[in-house]
Amino acid sequence: QVDLVESGGGLVQSGGSVLLSCTASGSYIKINTMGWYRRSPGQQRVLVATITSDGRQHYADSVKGRFTISRVGAEGPVYLEMNDLQPDDTAVYYCNADITVEALMPWGVNHNSYNYWGQGTQVTVSS
């Protein structure tokens, strides 16, 4: 059982900043890529930023230059620093991680990778 626990979020004025954090807990072999996604009201969930285990970052065009994703070592936590927030950034933000776990099979033990999601944290930006 692996869980992703998010913290941060809340209500902020336009131009303000928020820091989100996400920590993995449970039994696993390693954490691969971690990232943040968001779902705005009436929209589908979309990628915000990702960071690989060796620190390579990727951002959605809409947040480049304003948001920064970071990670503390291979185990995390992963952070999303959001600056110059705008009303269009209002969304539920979800932590995501690709995690390798040990799976006990009839023939032995496998190492399988699965995609995990946090419960989501609301960020509301007022104009």
Side-chain angles (χ1 to χ4, degrees):
Q1 177 72 23
V2 177
D3 293 308
L4 297 178
V5 180
E6 300 142 339
S7 62
L11 176 63
V12 63
Q13 289 188 333
S14 180
S17 298
V18 169
L19 178 67
L20 304 180
S21 66
C22 173
T23 301
S25 64
S27 178
Y28 54 85
I29 303 299
K30 65 175 181 176
I31 302 176
N32 305 305
T33 297
M34 303 184 79
W36 292 92
Y37 291 69
R38 68 185 182 187
R39 176 155 51 201
S40 302
Q43 304 295 318
Q44 292 188 344
R45 186 158 53 186
V46 296
L47 180 145
V48 175
T50 61
I51 185 166
T52 63
S53 57
D54 59 358
R56 286 174 288 135
Q57 303 164 18
H58 173 75
Y59 296 93
D61 288 342
S62 60
V63 306
K64 282 180 181 177
R66 300 188 300 125
F67 291 11
T68 301
I69 189 169
S70 60
R71 177 173 177 169
V72 180
E75 301 296 311
V78 63
Y79 298 98
L80 185 67
E81 180 182 355
M82 303 186 291
N83 298 312
D84 190 25
L85 283 161
Q86 301 301 315
D88 284 348
D89 295 315
T90 294
V92 178
Y93 285 74
Y94 296 90
C95 179
N96 174 269
D98 181 82
I99 300 177
T100 301
V101 300
E102 197 170 79
L104 184 61
M105 310 300 288
W107 53 86
V109 175
N110 270 8
H111 287 175
N112 296 335
S113 293
Y114 299 98
N115 207 241
Y116 294 86
W117 292 93
Q119 78 283 1
T121 184
Q122 177 71 46
V123 174
T124 302
V125 185
S126 62
S127 57

